Structure formats: C-alpha cells, structure tokens
Amino acid sequence: MNRKVSIARLATGVPGLDAILGGGIPDLSFNLILGAPGCGKTTLAHQLMFAMATRERPALFFTVLGESPMKMLRYQQQFSFFDQDKISGAIRFVSLGDDVATGTFTEVLKRITHEVETTAPALVFVDSFRSIMLEAQRQSDGSISQQQFIQQLGMQLMGWETTTFLIGEYSSKTGPPPIFTMADGLISLEQSVYRNSMVRKIQIMKMRGQATRPGVHTFRITGDGIVVFPAVEVRDDGNLAATPRRTDSTEKRLSMGVPRLDEMMGGGLPSGYSLLVAGPSGSGKTILATAFLVEGVRLGEPGVIVAFEQTPSQSRTRTIDELVRAGSIGLINTRSLDLSMDEVIQHLINLIHSMKATRVVIDSLSGFELAVAPTFREDFRESLFRMIAALSNLGVTVLMTSELEDRFTDLRFSPYGSAFLTDAIIVQRYIEVKSRLKRVMAVVKVRASAHSNALREFEINDGGIVIGETLSEYSGIMSGSPTLTTALAANDQDRRC
C-alpha cells in the first residue's frame, strides 16, 4: 500500500467517552459492549445509537431474549437523549426472540443477513449477543458450529460496511470467547457495590487503530444518560494531559485576607501554589479559607469552594453564602458517599473554566475521604496527588484544609501523608496557658520563598481571624512546642530551595 488509509471516528454523544476512546468510535468497526446485568450496557448502546443514527446513516437494533422492543423503549424514552422522531426514520428495531428460541445458528444468521441487506444500515446493534450463543448452543441438529457462526457473522457485518455493536454479558472466570480476537473494540462496564454506595466503571480494553486512555474510569447514569469522568492522566514530566496549563506568572503573590498573615508568608501566597491548612477541630481552618476566597472576590479574582463537611450557610460567617448566591463564588457541595475522585475533579475543572476562577478551596480533605466511595479509599493518596497536579496544571491557587488530632508527641500535617504534595503549609494548634486554651498559628513551609517561622497567637471574633504577637512569653509553657519548633526549623532549608 502506497496510500495511508484514514479512518473516520464517530462522536458517541456520551460526555467523556470520546476522550477515553481517543476521539470516538472508528467507523466500520466491529465492537463489543460487555458487562454484568444492570451495569448500563443497553443504556450505553441506545445513547450511542441515538447520537449516531440519521436518516442518511440509519441504525438497525436487534433485540433477542429478555426484553421486547416495546418494553425496552418504554424505559429508554425516559432519558433525554431519546428522540421519538428517529424511531420512524433513522432507527429500526427487530426482535430475534422467536428466531433464537426455535431456530439454529444458521437460521439466526439468515435472519440477520436478510434484515441488514434489506435495510442497508450504517449502524447495527445486537442486544444481547450472549443470549444468541446460549440459546443456539442447545440446538443440535447439525447446523453450523458456534465458532463458525461467530466468524461468519463477524465477516458479514464487516463486509456490509457497518459499524457494529454486540452487547452481552461476560465473566472473566470463563476466559475470553473467540469473538474477542475478531473485535476491533472492547468496551467493558462494571459496577461495585459496598454497603450503601455504588460506583460504576468503564474500561476500553481494546480499540484498534487509536490510542485510548488507559485504566478504569468512573461513570454515572443520569437523566441525560451515561456521563463518563475520565481519569486525569499524569505524564512522566508531571504535567497533565487533560487540560491546558495557564501561563500566569508565579511571581505574583495573593493576599490571604487575614491581617499579618501575608507578612508571615513572606508577602502572601505565590500564585499557582497549593496551600495546606492543618489543625484540630474548631481551630479556624474554614474561617481562614473563607477569608482567602472573600479577599479574592474583593480583588476581582473569582473563586470556587468544594465543601464536604459544613455548608457555607452553616459556617460562622454568612459571607460565602451571600457570594455564592450572587454568583461571585462557585460552590460544589456534596455529602454523597459514592463519589469518585475523577468525578469531583471533572466537576471542579468545569466550574473553574466557567467562572474563570483563580482561587480554589477544598474543605476538607477529611470530609473528602468520607465522600469518596469505599472502593476508591485505598487509592485516596494517589488520587489526591492527581487532583493537586490537575489543579496546578490549570494555574489556580489551591487552599486545602486538613483535620488533625492535636497530638503532643508527634507532629503531622495530614493523615494522608500529603504534606509533601503542597507548596505551602500553615499549622494551627491549641495550647494550654494558665488553664485556658489558646489558638496558635505558624507558617511551616512556603516553597522557594522566605517566610516567618514564628508562632503567633490568634483569636476568632465576628470579623474573622485576628493574629496577635509572637509567643515568646509562652516559651516553655506550651505542651509539645519542641516538636513544632523542630518542624519549623527543618523547613528553613526547604524555603530556600
């Protein structure tokens, strides 16, 4: 061959699916949609069909056992992708139930052949293909074998110049059937159920002729059909493949909105940095995060808050709630127990783009872990890395809060070992002075920047956080102070790197 063949790709109409497919479904390809009952195979097939089918490129949908066309349509028309106008012209349903129950492989193949040659469709769907195999296996009248049936059907469908989808159940315990080797594309769906949470996953096991997004990706079935949330892909150079990186200068410093805190950080938080605010319950983490967002709005820098614990209206200040209602701050507020990290990242990226946000608050990592479905919690640290990398790639400045027990024997800034992922750390703690609890704050780290390492007392009043003087007068009184002092000293070298 002297001329390179160009293969057209068909848009699937499924949000996020084209991205993991590598651009869409190859035209004239032979594909399998696999998965257990209830995982969304038929919904995906119908969503693909309604998106791709036109009067010029009609679709032929074969139903086998289990559901009649009328019953199937009764449920599928509940989705917004369903288009009644296409049923009469662009889409035709054919039931193979009687042919499969009373015929043989040979008879079933003849019926499919007749319908395809009569209709001349551009798209062919068979649901469920496995039902044909199981039912026809019971026939023993000397007709063509299962292997011959697979080969002949595959060859004929490819010879008819159709884009074909065979839908069916498949168990990895039985080993891959022969048809897997013939298929151009293998799309696998699965669902994981743990107590009261359920997460659906999709994987492109095979797609000839194009680079697909590796790994398992999560999806939801909504009123609009299936929505896929592609996993953020981190390249070897640390950059993200999912989104373009902004070119904002990291020389810029952002004001934190808390008097004296900018001074402690060496002039504010460098633009594009990620900041971890760690401390025990009630120490003021959310109030500091609120001040950071409010200051951004005042300076014309839109923000987004992802709240996993208290809602803005439940916080000490109603300012965030008012700014959210006014559209100045974007809000993602959920306590769902079946989220995936990729779903959160996708919603967050979309909101950042729509609002042109430059500041992001995640409150808190502790609530985030609880919101993530149990099947993803084992990989929470890795997923957290991908999220921070994705936001860094966007050029936004991120503030995350982390709930910690106030221990006096050791000092940790995050239960997930995520402190090393962030560019800056602020720690808040309680100390006991003369039988009273006082709050103290210190800047532990601001990467590549000079900053104060002094411990300062602070109070919380109706106006927010008020930072006081250095705690030199409390020297030797504060429990656990050697641990914190050691940590601050250890970060002196890091800030100079």
Side-chain angles (χ1 to χ4, degrees):
M1 293 181 61
N2 297 324
R3 184 168 61 89
K4 183 178 180 180
V5 176
S6 178
I7 299 177
R9 295 190 179 105
L10 307 177
T12 63
V14 179
L17 182 55
D18 289 350
I20 67 174
L21 282 169
I25 296 289
D27 195 17
L28 308 182
S29 58
F30 185 58
N31 306 282
L32 302 182
I33 299 177
L34 313 167
C39 65
K41 302 185 300 297
T42 299
T43 299
L44 175 59
H46 277 81
Q47 195 167 350
L48 294 172
M49 180 175 62
F50 278 97
M52 297 176 179
T54 64
R55 288 185 178 272
E56 295 73 26
R57 291 178 53 83
L60 188 59
F61 198 106
F62 292 100
T63 62
V64 188
L65 300 177
E67 285 186 314
S68 65
M70 292 302 297
K71 181 180 179 182
M72 185 181 296
L73 289 174
R74 180 171 180 264
Y75 290 102
Q76 292 300 313
Q77 66 182 334
Q78 307 303 315
F79 294 107
S80 64
F81 63 73
F82 185 88
D83 186 350
Q84 181 66 40
D85 294 336
K86 288 191 174 185
I87 298 298
S88 57
I91 296 173
R92 180 168 177 255
F93 287 86
V94 175
S95 175
L96 294 176
D98 293 339
D99 302 88
V100 173
T102 62
T104 62
F105 279 135
T106 303
E107 295 300 321
V108 173
L109 186 58
K110 284 182 179 180
R111 177 68 191 281
I112 294 176
T113 300
H114 171 74
E115 295 292 343
V116 172
E117 290 180 342
T118 301
T119 309
L123 304 163
V124 174
F125 296 80
V126 181
D127 185 9
S128 151
F129 178 73
R130 187 167 183 264
S131 297
I132 296 179
M133 308 308 299
L134 293 178
E135 185 64 22
Q137 275 180 332
R138 300 188 181 98
Q139 311 299 327
S140 58
D141 61 351
S143 65
I144 61 174
S145 67
Q146 176 180 339
Q147 179 66 23
Q148 289 173 321
F149 174 78
I150 292 173
Q151 291 176 343
Q152 290 186 30
L153 178 61
M155 293 300 295
Q156 289 194 28
L157 288 172
M158 289 185 284
W160 285 321
E161 295 189 345
T162 62
T163 304
T164 306
F165 298 87
L166 305 187
I167 301 96
E169 299 171 19
Y170 162 67
S171 173
S172 58
K173 297 179 181 178
T174 60
I179 196 171
F180 275 32
T181 60
M182 295 181 59
D184 300 310
L186 295 175
I187 302 175
S188 173
L189 307 182
E190 64 176 288
Q191 57 186 5
S192 301
V193 179
Y194 181 82
R195 294 184 179 178
N196 294 327
S197 69
M198 181 177 70
V199 174
R200 289 187 167 94
K201 304 175 184 178
I202 184 170
Q203 181 181 10
I204 310 303
M205 299 173 63
K206 174 184 180 182
M207 192 60 64
R208 285 192 175 121
Q210 58 197 56
T212 60
R213 188 78 64 84
V216 177
H217 312 268
T218 57
F219 72 93
R220 280 188 181 273
I221 300 179
T222 70
D224 296 324
I226 287 177
V227 179
V228 178
F229 306 101
V232 176
E233 191 176 22
V234 182
R235 300 196 187 103
D236 291 339
D237 58 4
N239 291 330
L240 273 290
T243 51
R245 184 175 181 86
R246 291 180 180 170
T247 57
D248 298 345
S249 172
T250 55
E251 301 277 333
K252 179 182 177 182
R253 296 267 183 162
L254 304 185
S255 174
M256 296 296 299
V258 176
R260 306 189 77 169
L261 183 54
D262 290 348
E263 176 187 345
M264 293 173 63
M265 300 187 72
L269 182 63
S271 176
Y273 269 33
S274 56
L275 166 65
L276 178 66
V277 180
S281 178
S283 60
K285 302 182 297 297
T286 299
I287 294 177
L288 194 155
T290 297
F292 176 70
L293 288 177
V294 172
E295 179 70 0
V297 173
R298 187 184 72 82
L299 297 174
E301 301 167 358
V304 171
I305 180 171
V306 186
F308 292 101
E309 295 182 0
Q310 62 183 10
T311 64
S313 59
Q314 293 173 325
S315 60
R316 188 183 183 98
T317 173
R318 297 296 181 92
T319 307
I320 288 290
D321 188 37
E322 295 169 359
L323 292 175
V324 169
R325 293 177 184 275
S328 300
I329 289 178
L331 170 66
I332 298 175
N333 188 6
T334 181
R335 295 185 181 183
S336 173
L337 297 179
D338 60 355
L339 292 174
S340 72
M341 184 72 80
D342 297 317
E343 182 175 354
V344 175
I345 293 174
Q346 192 61 58
H347 286 321
L348 181 54
I349 288 176
N350 291 342
L351 189 55
I352 288 172
H353 283 314
S354 65
M355 296 197 62
K356 298 181 180 179
T358 58
R359 299 188 181 208
V360 173
V361 164
I362 298 173
D363 187 28
S364 69
L365 295 183
S366 309
F368 197 176
E369 185 191 25
L370 291 177
V372 170
T375 54
F376 292 103
R377 289 178 189 167
E378 293 182 0
D379 302 323
F380 185 75
R381 184 180 181 187
E382 175 187 344
S383 299
L384 190 61
F385 164 73
R386 290 192 291 109
M387 183 187 71
I388 294 175
L391 296 177
S392 174
N393 191 61
L394 287 174
V396 297
T397 306
V398 185
L399 185 154
M400 299 175 290
T401 67
S402 177
E403 184 82 11
L404 294 178
E405 296 179 21
D406 200 354
R407 300 184 179 185
F408 301 115
T409 56
D410 64 273
L411 184 68
R412 295 182 302 159
F413 303 116
S414 170
Y416 320 105
S418 59
F420 79 98
L421 298 175
T422 61
D423 302 302
I425 299 174
I426 293 176
V427 63
Q428 298 173 336
R429 300 193 72 179
Y430 292 111
I431 63 172
E432 181 183 347
V433 178
K434 297 180 180 180
S435 300
R436 294 183 61 188
L437 285 178
K438 292 183 177 291
R439 296 181 177 94
V440 296
M441 178 188 303
V443 177
V444 176
K445 174 175 86 170
V446 180
R447 199 183 303 277
S449 174
H451 63 85
S452 169
N453 63 358
L455 282 165
R456 291 182 181 271
E457 182 184 359
F458 70 96
E459 296 180 352
I460 299 175
N461 57 31
D462 292 339
I465 292 177
V466 179
I467 298 177
E469 300 300 323
T470 304
L471 296 184
S472 56
E473 63 270 29
Y474 297 141
S475 178
I477 299 177
M478 183 175 62
S479 299
S481 57
T483 304
L484 182 56
T485 303
T486 301
L488 293 172
N491 277 278
D492 282 343
Q493 183 173 0
D494 180 62
R495 68 180 179 178
R496 293 192 292 268
C497 293

